[in-house]
Each structure stands twice: as structure tokens, then as C-alpha cells.
């Protein structure tokens, strides 16, 4: 994959590009991941489309938001809107994993005229908070911000320690952990530190409630498919059961692997995604 860097508003959005087809695909990774999430699918293949695998703001090599800003989920919708306009394309296919899947879905609901198809990978709907818990959600977010503001950035003596830390929260093997985390690491005096903005770990100050999530799904008219790992997150399967009846055009595919099934069953996932995009592109 070839690196790219595109300026949008006050952000430098970095990422990796593969292919030269007329149709554009924008691939959106999960929380605390980066564009290397899609490398196993794209390495060694010649895609029919042009893929832009981005690093979200605060992730990988992309800019952090300003010191007084936070990472509201809805701001990723704006980031994606600005990125598409910076590319100068009229309509794209979206592929999103986990948080990126939720961004892709909400963007497609808001800007359906921009989207040809959406592939969700281990993510669907939204993370919601019941309306009666809105004040508790905001209170916890404010308190968490204060705690993190006073916390010093950790310096690791070796990359191995970072890999070991990530291994505690994932079912990926060591090779895939290294691939993913190497784009989130930089060398500094005394060792290594993460390139991800610590503010990404702040609690969300606001979330949609279930009724708002359903309202957004009903506005999604692009054809969609969901790829689920057989050993993926229970939360994804619960959201699928809760929201599937509100999608106008959704197919569901099961593959081997866990939450990062697109890295573990990469060839199978790529074939499903490319076939779906080709089919959707000729509708």
C-alpha cells in the first residue's frame, strides 16, 4: 500500500492507498487501531477499486485534535465528509470495522447521496445510552477528563512491552498485533510511546439513545452487508438482533475469527467485500 496525507480543515489525515479503479472505497478502522487494520486484506491482491484506508484523527499518523477539543463520535462524521470532499469524488463505497462501521453507517444515513454501499465488519448500529442516564454519562465523562488530564504519557522501554499490553485486550496473534501496533508507535528518548491521543480514552460525554439510533438506521438507503466473526463480540450480535428489522437492505455473512476477523480471515473477507461492491456499483 502507498502512503497518503490529505489536509482537511485543521487536520492532516494520513493513511494508505491501494488500487487504481474508478470507484473509490474509504476504509475506516476501529477505536485505537489504524489503517494497518486493512493491510492483510489488501496485501497481495489487485483490487478493482481504489482503496483509501485512513487513520482517524488521533490515531496512527494522523493529527490529534486541538488541546481543548475532544473525540466526539459525531465529529468523525464531519471528518469523513471533509475527507471525501478533499478527494473530489462524488460517491464512495464505505468499509468500516467496529467504531469505523458505526461511523460508516451514520455517515451513510446523513449523506446517502455520497454512498454507493456500506460494509460493516464487527460493528452495527450505535453504542447507546438510555435517555434517563444522560446526566450520569456526562458527569462520568467530565470526571474522567480531569483524571486523564493529570496523567503523564507512558514511556515503554521496548516495543515488545507495547505488544504484550495489546495482547491482553485482543485475540490477534503476535504477527497481527505487531502489524497493527507498529503504526501506533514512535521512538523517543528513553524508549517508545504511542502515537494515539490519550484523550481517545476519555469517556463519551454524549451518546444517542436507542430511539435516535433507530431513526438514523431508517434513513440509511444504501445497500449494506455485515461481516461477523464466528468468535466476535457478543455486543455486535446483540445489536444485530436489536436493529436488523430497521435496515432496508442488509445481508449478513459469518466468517472465521474474532472481532478483527477481517485480519484473521482476510482473503475471505476481501472477496466478500469486493463482490458486494461490484454488485452494488452496477445497481
Amino acid at each position: 500500500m502507498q502512503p497518503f496525507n490529505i489536509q482537511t480543515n485543521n487536520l492532516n489525515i494520513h493513511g494508505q492507498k491501494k488500487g487504481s479503479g474508478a470507484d473509490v472505497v474509504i476504509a475506516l478502522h476501529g477505536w485505537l487501531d489504524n489503517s494497518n487494520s486493512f493491510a492483510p486484506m489488501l496485501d497481495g491482491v489487485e483490487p478493482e477499486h481504489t482503496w483509501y484506508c485512513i487513520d482517524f484523527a488521533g490515531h496512527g499518523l494522523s493529527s490529534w485534535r486541538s488541546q481543548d477539543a475532544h473525540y466526539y463520535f459525531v465529529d468523525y462524521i464531519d471528518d469523513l465528509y471533509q475527507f471525501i470532499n478533499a478527494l473530489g469524488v462524488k460517491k464512495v463505497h464505505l468499509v468500516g470495522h467496529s467504531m469505523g462501521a458505526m461511523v460508516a453507517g451514520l455517515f451513510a444515513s446523513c449523506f446517502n447521496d455520497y454512498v454507493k454501499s456500506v460494509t460493516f465488519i464487527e460493528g452495527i448500529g450505535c453504542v447507546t445510552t438510555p435517555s434517563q442516564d444522560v446526566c450520569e454519562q456526562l458527569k462520568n465523562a467530565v470526571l474522567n477528563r480531569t483524571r486523564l488530564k493529570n496523567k503523564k504519557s507512558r514511556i515503554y522501554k521496548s516495543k515488545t512491552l507495547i505488544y504484550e499490553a495489546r495482547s491482553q485486550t485482543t485475540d490477534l496473534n503476535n504477527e497481527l498485533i505487531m502489524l497493527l501496533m507498529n503504526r501506533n508507535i514512535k521512538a523517543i528518548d528513553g524508549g517508545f510511546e504511542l502515537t494515539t491521543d490519550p484523550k481517545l480514552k476519555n469517556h463519551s460525554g454524549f451518546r444517542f439513545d436507542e430511539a435516535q439510533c433507530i431513526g438514523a438506521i431508517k434513513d440509511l438507503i444504501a445497500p449494506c452487508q455485515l461481516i461477523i466473526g464466528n468468535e466476535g463480540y457478543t455486543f455486535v450480535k446483540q445489536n444485530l438482533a436489536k436493529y436488523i428489522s430497521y435496515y432496508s437492505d442488509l445481508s449478513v455473512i459469518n466468517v472465521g475469527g474474532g472481532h478483527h476477523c477481517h485480519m484473521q480471515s482476510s482473503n475471505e473477507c476481501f472477496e466478500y467485500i469486493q463482490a458486494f461492491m461490484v454488485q452494488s456499483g452496477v445497481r
Side-chain angles (χ1 to χ4, degrees):
M1 294 200 289
Q2 297 298 316
F4 69 79
N5 173 20
I6 293 178
Q7 182 80 27
T8 62
N9 289 340
N10 296 320
L11 297 172
N12 269 327
I13 299 299
H14 287 254
Q16 300 175 84
K17 180 181 175 183
K18 183 71 179 282
S20 57
D23 279 7
V24 169
V25 183
I26 300 180
L28 309 169
H29 62 77
W31 180 62
L32 298 182
D33 288 348
N34 55 68
S35 58
N36 273 358
S37 174
F38 299 100
M41 286 203 312
L42 295 175
D43 285 349
V45 300
E46 292 300 328
E48 294 187 26
H49 309 81
T50 300
W51 285 64
Y52 288 88
C53 306
I54 73 170
D55 295 338
F56 276 125
H59 297 74
L61 305 182
S62 288
S63 301
W64 292 7
R65 300 204 191 280
S66 62
Q67 189 172 357
D68 61 341
H70 295 277
Y71 289 87
Y72 291 104
F73 174 76
V74 292
D75 285 335
Y76 291 122
I77 310 304
D78 184 25
D79 293 344
L80 180 53
Y81 176 81
Q82 301 299 336
F83 182 80
I84 292 172
N85 284 322
L87 287 182
V89 295
K90 293 182 178 180
K91 215 160 188 177
V92 301
H93 298 277
L94 296 177
V95 176
H97 168 245
S98 194
M99 181 187 80
M102 297 181 185
V103 172
L106 186 55
F107 180 89
S109 295
C110 295
F111 298 99
N112 58 75
D113 54 330
Y114 277 57
V115 180
K116 290 187 175 183
S117 75
V118 185
T119 295
F120 307 116
I121 304 170
E122 274 287 305
I124 193 167
C126 299
V127 177
T128 61
T129 294
S131 56
Q132 65 268 23
D133 295 337
V134 64
C135 288
E136 188 68 17
Q137 181 76 30
L138 180 56
K139 174 185 175 182
N140 289 336
V142 171
L143 294 176
N144 183 251
R145 287 178 186 178
T146 302
R147 285 192 293 268
L148 283 179
K149 190 180 295 183
N150 298 323
K151 188 176 180 180
K152 291 184 178 179
S153 178
R154 180 176 176 182
I155 299 176
Y156 297 83
K157 291 184 178 180
S158 70
K159 288 185 177 181
T160 301
L161 292 174
I162 297 177
Y163 304 148
E164 290 175 352
R166 183 61 190 259
S167 71
Q168 303 304 308
T169 62
T170 184
D171 61 354
L172 292 175
N173 62 32
N174 289 338
E175 181 182 356
L176 292 177
I177 289 173
M178 291 171 62
L179 172 65
L180 198 56
M181 294 308 297
N182 280 343
R183 195 170 173 87
N184 279 350
I185 297 172
K186 66 178 179 181
I188 60 170
D189 290 341
F192 301 87
E193 69 176 2
L194 297 174
T195 63
T196 46
D197 190 340
K199 288 192 296 182
L200 288 167
K201 293 188 176 181
N202 283 343
H203 293 174
S204 299
F206 168 81
R207 288 182 181 145
F208 292 153
D209 64 20
E210 192 169 307
Q212 290 171 315
C213 180
I214 291 170
I217 292 170
K218 288 181 175 179
D219 283 340
L220 205 173
I221 62 174
C224 300
Q225 74 170 345
L226 168 64
I227 297 175
I228 296 180
N230 290 334
E231 298 175 1
Y233 282 0
T234 300
F235 164 77
V236 178
K237 297 177 177 65
Q238 291 172 338
N239 262 17
L240 174 61
K242 186 185 300 183
Y243 298 123
I244 187 171
S245 63
Y246 301 107
Y247 285 90
S248 62
D249 187 354
L250 175 67
S251 57
V252 182
I253 295 167
N254 288 274
V255 299
H259 188 56
H260 288 77
C261 58
H262 63 304
M263 300 183 75
Q264 296 161 319
S265 296
S266 55
N267 292 339
E268 187 178 5
C269 286
F270 176 76
E271 289 174 3
Y272 278 126
I273 294 169
Q274 179 153 280
F276 180 70
M277 293 189 300
V278 169
Q279 176 188 0
S280 300
V282 298
R283 292 189 178 192

